[in-house]
Amino acid sequence: MTKPLKAISSAFLAYFWPEMAVDDNFDHARTRLVCVFSLIVGTIGLLHSIPVYYISDTLPDHGVLISNLFCLTYFTVPAIWHRTHNLRLAAFVLVAIFWVHMEYLLIADRSDIWRRELFLIGPPIILLILVGRFSARIATALMVANFLVLSIVFDAFPVEGTLAMTAALCTLMAGLSMYFTEVNKKEVHLKELRDEAQLADAQKSEFLAKMSHEIRTPLNGLSGVLQLLDETDLTPEQKELVQIGRSSGRNLMGLINGVLDYSKIAADGITIEQIPFARDALLTTAVQSQQAAATAAGLELKVYQDPRLPSCLRGDPVRLNQVITNLLSNAIKFSKEGDIRCEMIRDGDFVRVSVTDRGIGLTEEAQTRVFNKFEQASTATSREFGGTGLGLAICKELVELLGGRIGVNSTPLLGSTFWFTFPLIEAETQESEPALPVGDVVEPSATDFAGTHVLVVEDNKTNQLIVRRFLESMQITMDVVDDGRPALQLCATRRYDLILMDIQLLDMDGVEVAAILRSGPGPNQRTPIVALSANILPEQTNAYLKAGMNACLGKPYRKDELVKVMARLLDRSNTDVSAA
């Protein structure tokens, strides 16, 4: 019995209070008003028939029947909107039914129990709210004429009453018109502010995308050259200089990624996953990624994991790892000596992760704003330790997206404990992933690519040199072209094991080339394609994958990252070929 009642209730609400998408000019609210007005007026009319029929007896039986038919007609007004989606038409029909109904009652019902003429104020007000001032003014003029006709011709009520009603109606409509004039001005102003905000947001996104591309492209050249130089015979002093250069490049990329991460979160461009992962791997992987930095700073990293926690959890290990890594990185940056303790314990229905250091600490005032974007403890902190002040703001946004909370307990000069929570969801043991991706440098794989034939489509000469040297060091043969059309010509006559595709080319971009290769017959219709791009915002990488590409490497990329992607795709490619 419950299900039918819920179905009837849902249908009733959908009819008289329809679901509406948010629009620019509040028409969704006006549509709901016209539907609910029809319900209210029709219901009041039916209820009015009861005392008229049973108590006053001022209407004949057929008069009550006619009035009830009018009341039932009100309930058809929402159907007009549902069928036509025309708000003005539905509003005019409602007003027309209301007007004719009230005219009939004023003429046929002589009862003095209630003053039906008051209801004639309704049409101008309804039109003012739902349609606009011009329609309301016309309705007001018609109502004034209507009062005069009813008073003089039908003797429905005294002339002095007519004059009083006319004055009251005109005064009321004048006041409401001025009020709605101001409301409309505010509505227009709000729309202008919204348009300005949307334009500013679009310009910001465009600027970030261009900035990312223009910085990543030369940074790819710098990073690649330093990687190639690091593989040559160098003196210890030269080796140290190269490592400093690579470290500086990674720091710069960290700043760029921080700005882009925050812009993605602000634009709802980050999706939180719910996948199984191993509990032990979460802290271990984050700590391993920061071990070298801690050792260089003379600090010891200690880890504690609550044995009460399940061995396998469900959540987003990549985002959790990002938060823990950021907290550890900050603890290392702001600590001079001692140890840093990273704990993961059970806290009711949540998992609580904390990072405790013996660093410079925070004042109570700094604790209140340290999670704000572009904020640091003080200007002196910014000058001494650097950074954009986005790291903790990103952590806060990510933790809230994960369904948890984040905070800090700190004492100046004694250290800080940054903590966050996320929901405790247990996963099956066989489901869990053994490890998490690590953002630190990893030694290249020993995968043997000898005999592999690769097509490189890249228009930047520096990037051509880098990828050529990377591939040559792996004993890979290659063809290199600088645009999409030469790439299509080669793909029409030669079979490649892999295609490395830049996106922004001079004539035909990489997305278009990939779509053509996937759509038409040819020797490379199923060849794995890797996008090499400095444009790696979520909507951009999704476009690459939709065009038929198999993976995306964001510039600057490391040699080991290229090796991993190639090993994965070439294994997949070989499986596909053998299966075919």
Side-chain angles (χ1 to χ4, degrees):
M1 188 66 183
T2 305
K3 289 184 178 179
L5 287 176
K6 286 184 177 179
I8 293 172
S9 175
S10 298
F12 181 84
L13 285 175
Y15 185 73
F16 287 107
W17 194 258
E19 288 291 333
M20 304 293 298
V22 177
D23 58 14
D24 296 340
N25 52 8
F26 305 109
D27 274 352
H28 61 294
R30 295 185 177 101
T31 297
R32 283 179 165 178
L33 282 177
V34 76
C35 293
V36 80
F37 278 173
S38 65
L39 172 65
I40 293 172
V41 175
T43 303
I44 291 175
L46 289 173
L47 293 175
H48 167 257
S49 299
I50 296 174
V52 169
Y53 184 76
Y54 289 103
I55 300 175
S56 64
D57 197 24
T58 56
L59 271 178
D61 291 347
H62 70 274
V64 174
L65 177 62
I66 293 173
S67 178
N68 287 337
L69 289 175
F70 272 115
C71 294
L72 294 176
T73 307
Y74 290 119
F75 300 144
T76 66
V77 172
I80 296 174
W81 180 86
H82 284 288
R83 188 172 182 83
T84 65
H85 289 281
N86 190 324
L87 172 61
R88 287 176 174 269
L89 177 62
F92 282 127
V93 170
L94 173 62
V95 168
I97 298 172
F98 188 90
W99 193 345
V100 175
H101 185 196
M102 291 301 105
E103 289 287 313
Y104 172 75
L105 290 178
L106 280 169
I107 296 172
D109 188 357
R110 296 290 181 168
S111 173
D112 292 328
I113 297 176
W114 61 293
R115 302 304 299 169
R116 294 166 301 280
E117 58 267 22
L118 292 175
F119 284 100
L120 289 176
I121 298 176
I125 295 177
I126 292 174
L127 289 176
L128 178 63
I129 296 173
L130 300 178
V131 180
R133 288 169 293 168
F134 181 73
S135 299
R137 288 167 183 167
I138 293 177
T140 301
L142 291 175
M143 287 300 100
V144 171
N146 188 64
F147 283 144
L148 295 173
V149 171
L150 290 174
S151 176
I152 298 173
V153 178
F154 294 96
D155 196 23
F157 36 83
V159 176
E160 57 273 16
T162 301
L163 296 177
M165 285 295 301
T166 299
L169 177 60
C170 292
T171 303
L172 176 64
M173 292 308 299
L176 289 176
S177 294
M178 288 188 289
Y179 170 75
F180 277 97
T181 298
E182 294 302 314
V183 170
N184 290 335
K185 288 181 180 179
K186 295 296 183 183
E187 182 180 333
V188 171
H189 181 60
L190 288 174
K191 288 169 63 178
E192 291 174 350
L193 292 177
R194 182 216 57 200
D195 292 341
E196 291 175 2
Q198 289 178 343
L199 178 61
D201 186 65
Q203 290 174 340
K204 180 199 72 174
S205 299
E206 183 180 359
F207 169 76
L208 287 174
K210 288 183 177 179
M211 180 197 72
S212 172
H213 181 272
E214 295 305 319
I215 294 179
R216 285 175 182 272
T217 299
L219 193 57
N220 185 62
L222 175 63
S223 174
V225 168
L226 288 173
Q227 289 181 69
L228 293 172
L229 188 59
D230 198 22
E231 295 177 359
T232 61
D233 294 329
L234 300 173
T235 65
E237 292 80 5
Q238 292 171 332
K239 197 84 171 176
E240 181 182 6
L241 293 175
V242 171
Q243 289 300 325
I244 292 173
R246 295 186 65 179
S247 176
S248 299
R250 287 195 296 271
N251 290 338
L252 179 57
M253 274 310 307
L255 297 177
I256 296 172
N257 290 335
V259 174
L260 292 178
D261 272 349
Y262 197 86
S263 68
K264 284 186 237 175
I265 294 172
D268 298 325
I270 285 184
T271 301
I272 298 300
E273 295 183 311
Q274 288 293 332
I275 60 175
F277 62 92
R279 175 201 67 190
D280 294 340
L282 184 62
L283 288 190
T284 302
T285 307
V287 169
Q288 286 177 349
S289 71
Q290 300 299 311
Q291 188 64 61
T295 303
L299 303 170
E300 182 182 0
L301 296 182
K302 296 182 178 181
V303 177
Y304 171 77
Q305 302 196 64
D306 191 340
R308 296 177 301 165
L309 286 171
S311 60
C312 300
L313 301 171
R314 183 176 291 275
D316 192 327
V318 174
R319 297 304 174 188
L320 289 170
N321 185 56
Q322 183 177 351
V323 175
I324 298 172
T325 301
N326 190 283
L327 296 182
L328 285 170
S329 176
N330 282 349
I332 294 170
K333 181 193 297 185
F334 295 110
S335 297
K336 299 293 186 183
E337 57 184 5
D339 55 43
I340 294 172
R341 185 174 178 83
C342 186
E343 296 183 350
M344 184 164 68
I345 62 174
R346 181 164 189 161
D347 186 8
D349 294 331
F350 289 84
V351 178
R352 180 185 173 101
V353 180
S354 63
V355 175
T356 302
D357 63 63
R358 299 180 183 178
I360 61 176
L362 295 169
T363 64
E364 290 187 5
E365 187 271 335
Q367 293 177 45
T368 61
R369 54 184 175 81
V370 73
F371 292 102
N372 297 337
K373 60 182 179 179
F374 304 112
E375 286 274 6
Q376 291 193 343
S378 66
T379 55
T381 301
S382 178
R383 287 194 301 270
E384 181 178 356
F385 297 100
T388 60
L390 275 177
L392 290 176
I394 293 172
C395 289
K396 180 176 184 292
E397 297 287 348
L398 289 177
V399 168
E400 291 177 352
L401 288 174
L402 290 164
R405 298 185 303 118
I406 190 170
V408 59
N409 304 316
S410 183
T411 303
L413 304 179
L414 295 180
S416 304
T417 297
F418 283 86
W419 57 268
F420 72 93
T421 62
F422 63 94
L424 171 57
I425 305 174
E426 186 173 0
E428 296 294 333
T429 304
Q430 59 268 25
E431 289 183 304
S432 63
E433 297 292 334
L436 298 170
V438 182
D440 201 29
V441 177
V442 182
E443 288 300 318
S445 171
T447 307
D448 184 10
F449 294 102
T452 303
H453 195 34
V454 175
L455 173 63
V456 178
V457 187
E458 172 64 70
D459 62 343
N460 185 282
K461 298 300 181 183
T462 302
N463 292 337
Q464 284 183 7
L465 171 66
I466 292 167
V467 72
R468 185 191 295 273
R469 294 289 182 87
F470 281 172
L471 297 179
E472 286 175 348
S473 68
M474 293 183 271
Q475 299 179 356
I476 293 174
T477 60
M478 75 204 79
D479 292 323
V480 181
V481 294
D482 60 3
D483 207 353
R485 296 189 189 280
L488 289 175
Q489 292 172 359
L490 287 176
C491 288
T493 58
R494 303 180 190 179
R495 168 74 168 86
Y496 292 98
D497 298 306
L498 185 75
I499 299 174
L500 301 177
M501 182 78 67
D502 186 25
I503 298 300
Q504 288 193 351
L505 300 169
L506 298 175
D507 186 14
M508 180 184 294
D509 65 35
V511 173
E512 187 177 355
V513 174
I516 292 174
L517 289 176
R518 296 297 187 232
S519 62
N524 294 284
Q525 185 179 20
R526 301 177 63 188
T527 299
I529 303 175
V530 180
L532 304 178
S533 178
N535 297 324
I536 56 170
L537 293 176
E539 61 273 15
Q540 295 166 330
T541 54
N542 289 337
Y544 308 154
L545 298 178
K546 287 181 181 179
M549 298 186 182
N550 303 83
C552 176
L553 270 178
K555 297 176 181 177
Y557 53 87
R558 302 190 304 267
K559 180 180 175 180
D560 65 283
E561 293 175 333
L562 178 61
V563 168
K564 287 181 180 179
V565 171
M566 289 178 60
R568 176 169 60 86
L569 293 179
L570 289 174
D571 286 344
R572 181 188 300 170
S573 176
N574 293 335
T575 302
D576 291 344
V577 172
S578 62

